[in-house]
Coordinates of all heavy atoms in Angstrom, one line a residue:
K703 N -77.1 -254.9 33.8 CA -75.7 -255.1 34.2 C -75.7 -255.2 35.7 O -76.6 -254.9 36.4 CB -74.9 -253.8 33.8 CG -74.8 -253.7 32.3 CD -73.9 -252.5 31.9 CE -73.7 -252.4 30.4 NZ -72.8 -251.3 30.1
E704 N -74.5 -255.7 36.2 CA -74.3 -255.9 37.6 C -74.0 -254.5 38.2 O -73.5 -253.6 37.6 CB -73.2 -256.9 37.8 CG -73.4 -258.3 37.4 CD -72.3 -259.2 37.7 OE1 -71.2 -258.8 38.1 OE2 -72.5 -260.4 37.5
R705 N -74.3 -254.4 39.5 CA -73.9 -253.2 40.3 C -72.4 -253.1 40.3 O -71.7 -254.1 40.7 CB -74.5 -253.3 41.6 CG -74.3 -252.0 42.5 CD -75.2 -252.0 43.7 NE -76.6 -252.0 43.3 CZ -77.6 -251.8 44.2 NH1 -77.4 -251.7 45.5 NH2 -78.9 -251.8 43.8
E706 N -71.9 -252.0 40.1 CA -70.4 -251.8 40.1 C -70.0 -250.6 41.0 O -70.7 -249.7 41.2 CB -69.9 -251.6 38.7 CG -70.4 -250.3 38.0 CD -69.7 -250.0 36.7 OE1 -68.6 -250.6 36.4 OE2 -70.2 -249.2 35.9
F707 N -68.8 -250.8 41.5 CA -68.2 -249.8 42.4 C -67.8 -248.5 41.6 O -67.4 -248.6 40.5 CB -67.0 -250.4 43.1 CG -66.1 -249.4 43.8 CD1 -66.5 -248.9 45.0 CD2 -64.9 -249.0 43.2 CE1 -65.7 -248.0 45.7 CE2 -64.1 -248.0 43.9 CZ -64.5 -247.5 45.1
V708 N -68.0 -247.4 42.2 CA -67.7 -246.1 41.6 C -66.6 -245.4 42.5 O -65.5 -245.1 42.0 CB -68.9 -245.2 41.5 CG1 -68.4 -243.8 40.9 CG2 -69.9 -245.8 40.6
A709 N -66.9 -245.1 43.7 CA -66.0 -244.4 44.6 C -66.3 -244.7 46.1 O -67.4 -245.1 46.4 CB -66.0 -242.9 44.3
A710 N -65.3 -244.5 46.9 CA -65.5 -244.6 48.4 C -64.7 -243.7 49.2 O -63.6 -243.2 48.7 CB -65.2 -246.1 48.8
I711 N -65.1 -243.4 50.4 CA -64.3 -242.5 51.2 C -64.5 -242.8 52.7 O -65.6 -243.3 53.1 CB -64.8 -241.0 51.0 CG1 -63.9 -240.0 51.8 CG2 -66.3 -240.8 51.4 CD1 -64.2 -238.5 51.4
R712 N -63.5 -242.7 53.5 CA -63.6 -242.9 54.9 C -64.3 -241.7 55.5 O -64.0 -240.5 55.1 CB -62.2 -243.0 55.6 CG -61.4 -244.3 55.2 CD -60.2 -244.4 56.1 NE -59.3 -245.5 55.7 CZ -59.5 -246.7 56.1 NH1 -60.4 -247.0 57.0 NH2 -58.6 -247.7 55.7
W713 N -65.2 -241.9 56.4 CA -65.9 -240.8 57.0 C -65.0 -239.9 57.8 O -65.2 -238.7 57.9 CB -67.1 -241.3 57.9 CG -68.1 -240.2 58.2 CD1 -68.3 -239.6 59.5 CD2 -68.9 -239.5 57.3 NE1 -69.2 -238.6 59.4 CE2 -69.7 -238.5 58.1 CE3 -69.2 -239.6 56.0 CZ2 -70.6 -237.7 57.5 CZ3 -70.1 -238.7 55.4 CH2 -70.8 -237.8 56.2
T714 N -64.0 -240.5 58.4 CA -63.0 -239.8 59.1 C -61.7 -240.1 58.4 O -61.4 -241.2 58.0 CB -62.8 -240.3 60.6 OG1 -62.6 -241.7 60.6 CG2 -64.1 -240.0 61.4
G715 N -60.9 -239.0 58.1 CA -59.7 -239.2 57.3 C -60.0 -238.8 55.9 O -61.1 -238.5 55.5
S716 N -58.9 -238.8 55.1 CA -59.0 -238.4 53.7 C -58.8 -239.5 52.7 O -58.6 -239.2 51.5 CB -57.9 -237.3 53.5 OG -56.6 -237.7 53.8
N717 N -58.8 -240.7 53.1 CA -58.6 -241.8 52.2 C -59.8 -242.0 51.2 O -60.9 -242.0 51.7 CB -58.4 -243.1 53.0 CG -57.2 -243.1 53.9 OD1 -57.4 -242.9 55.1 ND2 -56.0 -243.3 53.4
T718 N -59.5 -242.1 50.0 CA -60.5 -242.3 49.0 C -60.1 -243.4 48.0 O -58.9 -243.7 47.9 CB -60.7 -241.0 48.2 OG1 -59.5 -240.6 47.5 CG2 -61.3 -239.9 49.0
A719 N -61.0 -244.0 47.3 CA -60.8 -245.0 46.3 C -61.7 -244.8 45.2 O -62.9 -244.4 45.4 CB -60.9 -246.4 46.9
Y720 N -61.2 -245.1 44.0 CA -62.0 -244.9 42.8 C -61.9 -246.1 41.8 O -60.9 -246.7 41.7 CB -61.6 -243.6 42.0 CG -61.8 -242.3 42.8 CD1 -60.8 -241.8 43.5 CD2 -63.0 -241.7 42.7 CE1 -61.0 -240.6 44.2 CE2 -63.2 -240.5 43.4 CZ -62.2 -239.9 44.1 OH -62.4 -238.8 44.8
A721 N -63.0 -246.3 41.1 CA -63.0 -247.3 40.0 C -62.2 -246.6 38.9 O -62.1 -245.4 38.8 CB -64.4 -247.6 39.5
D722 N -61.5 -247.5 38.1 CA -60.8 -247.0 37.0 C -61.6 -246.1 36.0 O -61.1 -245.1 35.5 CB -60.1 -248.1 36.2 CG -59.1 -248.8 36.9 OD1 -58.5 -248.3 37.9 OD2 -58.8 -250.0 36.6
S723 N -62.8 -246.4 35.9 CA -63.7 -245.7 35.0 C -64.0 -244.3 35.5 O -64.4 -243.4 34.8 CB -65.0 -246.4 34.8 OG -65.7 -246.7 36.0
A724 N -63.9 -244.1 36.8 CA -64.2 -242.8 37.5 C -63.0 -242.0 37.7 O -63.1 -240.8 37.9 CB -64.9 -243.1 38.8
K725 N -61.8 -242.6 37.7 CA -60.6 -241.9 38.1 C -60.3 -240.7 37.2 O -60.4 -240.8 35.9 CB -59.4 -242.9 38.0 CG -58.1 -242.3 38.6 CD -57.0 -243.4 38.4 CE -57.4 -244.7 39.0 NZ -56.3 -245.7 38.8
G726 N -60.1 -239.5 37.8 CA -59.8 -238.3 37.0 C -61.0 -237.6 36.6 O -60.9 -236.4 36.2
R727 N -62.2 -238.1 36.7 CA -63.4 -237.5 36.3 C -64.4 -237.3 37.5 O -65.1 -236.2 37.6 CB -64.2 -238.3 35.3 CG -63.4 -238.4 34.0 CD -64.3 -239.0 32.9 NE -64.8 -240.4 33.2 CZ -66.0 -240.7 33.3 NH1 -67.0 -239.8 33.0 NH2 -66.4 -241.9 33.6
F728 N -64.4 -238.2 38.4 CA -65.3 -238.1 39.6 C -64.5 -237.8 40.8 O -63.4 -238.3 41.0 CB -66.0 -239.5 39.8 CG -67.0 -239.8 38.7 CD1 -67.1 -239.0 37.5 CD2 -67.7 -241.0 38.7 CE1 -68.0 -239.4 36.5 CE2 -68.6 -241.4 37.7 CZ -68.7 -240.6 36.6
T729 N -65.2 -237.1 41.8 CA -64.6 -236.8 43.1 C -65.6 -237.1 44.2 O -66.7 -236.5 44.1 CB -64.1 -235.4 43.1 OG1 -63.1 -235.1 42.1 CG2 -63.4 -235.1 44.5
I730 N -65.2 -237.9 45.1 CA -66.0 -238.1 46.3 C -65.6 -237.2 47.5 O -64.4 -237.1 47.7 CB -66.1 -239.6 46.7 CG1 -67.1 -239.8 47.8 CG2 -64.7 -240.1 47.1 CD1 -67.3 -241.3 48.1
S731 N -66.5 -236.6 48.2 CA -66.2 -235.8 49.3 C -67.2 -235.9 50.4 O -68.3 -236.5 50.2 CB -66.0 -234.3 48.8 OG -67.2 -233.8 48.3
R732 N -67.0 -235.2 51.5 CA -67.9 -235.3 52.6 C -68.0 -234.0 53.3 O -67.1 -233.1 53.3 CB -67.5 -236.4 53.6 CG -66.2 -236.1 54.3 CD -65.9 -237.2 55.2 NE -64.6 -236.9 56.0 CZ -63.4 -237.2 55.6 NH1 -63.2 -237.8 54.4 NH2 -62.4 -236.9 56.3
D733 N -69.2 -233.8 54.0 CA -69.4 -232.6 54.9 C -69.9 -233.2 56.2 O -71.1 -233.5 56.3 CB -70.4 -231.7 54.2 CG -70.5 -230.4 55.0 OD1 -70.3 -230.4 56.3 OD2 -70.9 -229.3 54.4
N734 N -69.1 -233.3 57.1 CA -69.5 -233.9 58.4 C -70.5 -233.1 59.1 O -71.4 -233.7 59.8 CB -68.2 -234.1 59.3 CG -67.3 -235.1 58.8 OD1 -67.6 -236.1 58.1 ND2 -66.0 -234.9 59.1
A735 N -70.5 -231.8 59.1 CA -71.5 -231.0 59.7 C -72.9 -231.3 59.2 O -73.9 -231.2 59.9 CB -71.1 -229.5 59.6
K736 N -73.0 -231.6 57.9 CA -74.3 -231.8 57.3 C -74.6 -233.3 57.1 O -75.6 -233.7 56.6 CB -74.3 -231.2 55.9 CG -74.2 -229.7 55.9 CD -74.3 -229.1 54.5 CE -74.3 -227.6 54.6 NZ -74.3 -227.0 53.2
N737 N -73.7 -234.2 57.6 CA -73.8 -235.6 57.5 C -74.1 -236.0 56.1 O -75.1 -236.8 55.8 CB -74.9 -236.1 58.5 CG -74.8 -237.6 58.7 OD1 -73.8 -238.2 58.7 ND2 -76.0 -238.2 58.9
T738 N -73.4 -235.5 55.1 CA -73.6 -235.6 53.7 C -72.4 -236.0 53.0 O -71.3 -235.6 53.3 CB -74.2 -234.3 53.1 OG1 -75.3 -233.9 53.8 CG2 -74.5 -234.5 51.6
V739 N -72.6 -236.9 52.0 CA -71.5 -237.3 51.1 C -71.8 -236.9 49.7 O -73.0 -237.0 49.3 CB -71.3 -238.9 51.2 CG1 -70.2 -239.3 50.2 CG2 -70.9 -239.3 52.6

């Protein structure tokens, strides 16, 4: 299968985006201190 989008987040700010298949089940977040998503 082709590579498909799941989720995205701005490193600064709280804007997020999700694929329909992930909406309501997946959550993207970040920890700036640990440079981790």
